Amino acid sequence: MSGPVTIRDVARAADVSPATVSRTFVRPEKVDAVTRERVLSAAARLDYRPNRAAQSLITGLTGNIGIVVPDLTNPFFPSVVRGIQSRAEELGYPVLLVDTGEDAARESELVTRLGRQVDGLVLCAARMSDEDLLSHRQQRPLVLINREVPGVPAVTFDNAAGIAQEVMHLKALGHVRIGYVAGPGTSYSSRVRQGAVTTHLAAAALTEVAVGSFAPSFDGGRSAAEKVLLANVTAVMVYNDVMALGLINQLAQYGVSVPNDLTVVGYDDIEFAAMANPALTTVRVPREEAGALAMSYLNALMTATGPAPEPPAQLKTEFIFRGTSVRVPLTGALAE
Amino acid sequence: MSGPVTIRDVARAADVSPATVSRTFVRPEKVDAVTRERVLSAAARLDYRPNRAAQSLITGLTGNIGIVVPDLTNPFFPSVVRGIQSRAEELGYPVLLVDTGEDAARESELVTRLGRQVDGLVLCAARMSDEDLLSHRQQRPLVLINREVPGVPAVTFDNAAGIAQEVMHLKALGHVRIGYVAGPGTSYSSRVRQGAVTTHLAAAALTEVAVGSFAPSFDGGRSAAEKVLLANVTAVMVYNDVMALGLINQLAQYGVSVPNDLTVVGYDDIEFAAMANPALTTVRVPREEAGALAMSYLNALMTATGPAPEPPAQLKTEFIFRGTSVRVPLTGALAE
DNA sequence: CTGTTAGCGCTTTCAC
DNA sequence: GTGAAAGCGCTAACAG
């Protein structure tokens, strides 16, 4: 008899009923040790694999989990995905991935579609509204990364601390008027970070000069160059590393050299921050760790029988002092 | 009655049998147009969604496709994944992703596991042996990207042409002794590229100086710096952009400036190649396009009833002349 | 602890 | 063109 081996084949080989075979895999403790061994060895001998579809049909569970990211080509996200993926693999979950292409509108629809194929979801930097998020949360377990909505489980970074460290750093270097290049106002973490910048700059008695909002991309950073030049500052904090790198690149076109003429600090510590020349001063956010933690938490949520598991703490960020920040007085073109 | 709406609910609402509802979705042409409309409107009204597990159980198909990549944090792969993903979405396939972590040994096992959850697979830069690949190909439809094995469908790049263009470029710039920094010998595309370099350099009557094999990473490129310096060449071709960037970075530590002291050309045209300073001369390989094409081809394979569909042509590569390559005679430290 | 009995929701012969 | 019936492979009561 051909075809894949089914639970009945194993049952026959082990001389038990199909139900006992099923129990052996689902509730081993409810099966006599001797019987269990017999079943297990028969299953191994026949190379039996439970049919997922049949299990799904009856349990209503797929055994898969889903990840949603806004843009996989943004170097922030592959690390997160990797963290989720490797933990998911340890836990035995295959992972369904969807890249929404930064499209906030489609995001919610894609989550709905994906939601039907998985038992739980990790949403990275979700762009959708709080309401949509809350409604998806009703459907199935879900963990957010880098986004907070009251009542929705989330893994977040201690952004305030990271910003505080940068501010302290800039103050220690003697900077007083400090520019801030913001990300898109529609992004949750951009708004959070902007708030932290304002707060900590004020607390440090430093002057914040808002440069404006730009796309969270290399070109977005580039397009901020003119406004930065006009801001009459000695240092500028940028929403993220990719933008900071773009800004520095465009500044070079203007003959403005970083850090001699201007101090620039980024955020995220993407791989290329260290590779750039000069290497970018930034704040490291533990992306892979966040992914793994989110997956662990999601698993706890999915398997929880009793009370909801404790949400994980905020992840610590780490200030990284590299080559794009120096002490004032400046000696270059922008010095007065 | 609560729960999700089933085919019987629709049948009742449309006053037909469940079989007719099923046919309406699976073989619409076998249902009378009027009946079909009635069923469709009832389905829409009730917001009916077929249960995937039930369909799967009966058809043996999951409706999903899988992607396997060696390392998602290598900027080459997210683009490919994006290409696959967006095309898969158009075709209605959810995508299962696995990152093997460059582990050739685990790769085959992961493919086996993943294979049971999907109807078809796209394998990027597969590290496993030809034999393993051939055996997986027996199991289910599969398309390779950037790897060739006789008898296995694949989307590949015209690497020879890319290398030829680079060689021509270097020759035009007056370089004669040219170093080659190879990728890992275990990598298929590294071997292919090495072969092309040797062939075209010889054909152009240029001298090839083998610098050695290194890890395909930024640090791998860095570690090639000493040997490059010792190679007494005016130009060096590097296996890929990430390595080229690492090499340039480390060279700077030695006080060797690119391109003044040494011409460096990369391969791939990853996003950061253009962002680097100076921007990297390289060869663009259409990664996202390759992903989309592979997915289209896979779909053709999966839905093919008659003869096997035509394999797609090799994807054209494009030489990109940027800032890291200049004409000899050199004026810097390495000039003679 | 184990077997028997019923389906999960859907597709698919096979009649009509 | 449409319906009735028979499972796909598995799990979950329910007896024993």
Side-chain angles (χ1 to χ4, degrees):
Chain A
M1 166 228 63
S2 58
V5 3
T6 76
I7 208 170
R8 310 183 64 122
D9 300 325
V10 179
R12 209 168 305 139
D15 197 33
V16 294
S17 75
T20 299
V21 178
S22 175
R23 279 191 208 99
T24 306
F25 288 101
V26 184
R27 283 171 187 2
E29 72 281 5
K30 306 223 121 207
V31 174
D32 183 86
V34 179
T35 318
R36 195 194 309 151
E37 277 318 309
R38 199 147 35 93
V39 171
L40 254 18
S41 90
R45 185 152 22 92
L46 299 178
D47 191 32
Y48 165 71
R49 316 283 176 148
N51 179 318
R52 288 282 211 145
Q55 292 183 134
S56 258
L57 182 54
I58 206 160
T59 61
L61 263 26
T62 64
N64 301 326
I65 68 105
I67 307 180
V68 179
V69 296
D71 176 10
L72 204 57
T73 62
N74 175 334
F76 185 90
F77 299 106
S79 305
V80 178
V81 170
R82 219 182 197 206
I84 300 173
Q85 234 255 182
S86 69
R87 186 84 189 90
E89 203 181 297
E90 292 170 12
L91 294 167
Y93 295 110
V95 162
L96 284 158
L97 175 77
V98 21
D99 179 333
T100 65
E102 293 275 8
D103 186 333
R106 267 188 32 199
E107 194 182 70
S108 194
E109 186 217 326
L110 287 171
V111 169
T112 303
R113 285 231 296 268
L114 184 62
R116 300 175 26 79
Q117 320 264 24
V118 301
D119 300 339
L121 284 164
V122 180
L123 268 38
C124 299
R127 261 58 167 168
M128 73 184 81
S129 69
D130 285 17
E131 294 70 44
D132 284 353
L133 230 24
L134 254 359
S135 100
H136 285 120
R137 191 230 187 306
Q138 305 300 110
Q139 311 306 305
R140 62 200 71 244
L142 156 174
V143 173
L144 263 26
I145 292 183
N146 205 14
R147 163 91 185 245
E148 280 174 292
V149 175
V152 184
V155 171
T156 56
F157 304 106
D158 189 357
N159 287 315
I163 296 290
Q165 286 172 295
E166 285 200 330
V167 167
M168 190 119 51
H169 172 71
L170 294 178
K171 182 164 193 174
L173 289 176
H175 297 278
V176 175
R177 280 180 60 85
I178 296 173
Y180 182 63
V181 175
T186 54
S187 150
Y188 167 81
S189 69
S190 174
R191 275 174 281 130
V192 167
R193 229 165 278 171
Q194 168 73 74
V197 165
T198 301
T199 304
H200 287 99
L201 246 20
L206 264 19
T207 304
E208 174 183 355
V209 181
V211 175
S213 281
F214 302 86
S217 62
F218 191 80
D219 285 336
R222 259 188 150 132
S223 60
E226 290 77 10
K227 291 209 171 128
V228 166
L229 258 11
L230 261 17
N232 187 32
V233 296
T234 59
V236 26
M237 301 174 69
V238 184
Y239 171 61
N240 72 18
D241 286 353
V242 178
M243 289 174 75
L245 261 14
L247 171 62
I248 292 169
N249 187 291
Q250 183 70 5
L251 249 18
Q253 305 278 322
Y254 277 93
V256 174
S257 145
V258 171
N260 294 339
D261 301 330
L262 184 71
T263 278
V264 174
V265 299
Y267 204 94
D268 284 349
D269 192 31
I270 61 173
E271 285 79 1
F272 273 91
M275 305 180 188
N277 199 345
L280 190 62
T281 293
T282 188
V283 171
R284 171 172 305 156
V285 328
R287 311 192 285 288
E288 198 155 334
E289 192 185 336
L293 195 57
M295 184 62 238
S296 297
Y297 187 31
L298 179 61
N299 182 55
L301 248 26
M302 296 191 315
T303 59
T305 53
E310 271 313 286
Q314 277 199 333
L315 258 24
K316 289 277 165 288
T317 54
E318 182 192 356
F319 176 70
I320 313 277
F321 184 7
R322 285 198 279 241
T324 56
S325 52
V326 296
R327 197 156 210 307
V328 285
L330 300 168
T331 57
L334 266 54
E336 325 217 351
Chain B
M1 160 232 66
S2 59
V5 3
T6 77
I7 207 170
R8 311 183 62 123
D9 300 325
V10 179
R12 211 166 305 137
D15 195 35
V16 294
S17 74
T20 299
V21 178
S22 174
R23 278 191 208 101
T24 305
F25 288 100
V26 185
R27 282 170 188 4
E29 73 280 7
K30 306 222 125 210
V31 174
D32 184 86
V34 179
T35 318
R36 196 193 308 151
E37 277 318 309
R38 198 146 35 94
V39 170
L40 254 18
S41 89
R45 186 153 20 93
L46 299 178
D47 192 31
Y48 164 72
R49 316 283 177 149
N51 178 317
R52 288 282 209 144
Q55 293 183 135
S56 257
L57 182 54
I58 208 162
T59 61
L61 263 26
T62 64
N64 300 326
I65 69 106
I67 307 181
V68 180
V69 296
D71 176 11
L72 205 56
T73 62
N74 174 335
F76 185 90
F77 298 107
S79 305
V80 179
V81 171
R82 216 178 202 211
I84 300 172
Q85 233 254 184
S86 69
R87 186 86 189 86
E89 202 181 297
E90 292 171 11
L91 294 167
Y93 295 109
V95 162
L96 284 158
L97 175 77
V98 21
D99 178 334
T100 66
E102 292 276 7
D103 187 332
R106 267 187 34 199
E107 192 181 71
S108 194
E109 185 217 327
L110 287 171
V111 169
T112 304
R113 286 230 297 268
L114 184 62
R116 299 175 28 75
Q117 319 265 27
V118 300
D119 299 340
L121 284 165
V122 179
L123 267 40
C124 300
R127 262 54 169 170
M128 73 183 80
S129 69
D130 285 16
E131 294 69 45
D132 285 353
L133 230 24
L134 254 359
S135 99
H136 286 120
R137 191 230 187 305
Q138 306 300 110
Q139 311 305 306
R140 63 200 71 246
L142 158 174
V143 173
L144 264 26
I145 292 182
N146 206 15
R147 162 93 186 245
E148 279 173 293
V149 175
V152 184
V155 170
T156 57
F157 303 106
D158 189 358
N159 287 315
I163 297 290
Q165 286 171 296
E166 286 201 328
V167 167
M168 190 117 51
H169 172 70
L170 294 178
K171 181 163 190 174
L173 290 176
H175 297 277
V176 175
R177 278 180 60 86
I178 294 173
Y180 182 64
V181 175
T186 54
S187 150
Y188 167 80
S189 69
S190 175
R191 275 175 281 129
V192 167
R193 229 165 279 172
Q194 168 73 74
V197 166
T198 301
T199 304
H200 287 99
L201 246 20
L206 264 20
T207 303
E208 173 183 358
V209 181
V211 175
S213 281
F214 302 85
S217 60
F218 191 80
D219 285 337
R222 259 189 152 129
S223 60
E226 290 77 10
K227 291 210 169 128
V228 166
L229 258 11
L230 262 16
N232 187 34
V233 296
T234 57
V236 26
M237 301 173 69
V238 184
Y239 171 61
N240 72 19
D241 287 351
V242 179
M243 291 175 73
L245 261 13
L247 171 63
I248 292 169
N249 187 290
Q250 183 70 4
L251 250 19
Q253 306 278 320
Y254 277 93
V256 173
S257 143
V258 171
N260 293 338
D261 301 331
L262 185 71
T263 280
V264 174
V265 299
Y267 204 92
D268 283 350
D269 192 31
I270 61 173
E271 284 80 1
F272 272 92
M275 305 180 189
N277 198 347
L280 190 60
T281 294
T282 189
V283 171
R284 171 172 304 157
V285 328
R287 311 192 285 287
E288 198 155 332
E289 192 185 336
L293 195 56
M295 183 61 238
S296 297
Y297 189 30
L298 179 61
N299 182 56
L301 248 27
M302 297 192 314
T303 57
T305 54
E310 272 313 287
Q314 278 198 333
L315 257 24
K316 290 278 166 285
T317 55
E318 182 191 356
F319 175 70
I320 313 278
F321 183 9
R322 284 198 279 243
T324 56
S325 52
V326 295
R327 197 156 211 306
V328 285
L330 300 169
T331 57
L334 264 57
E336 325 216 351

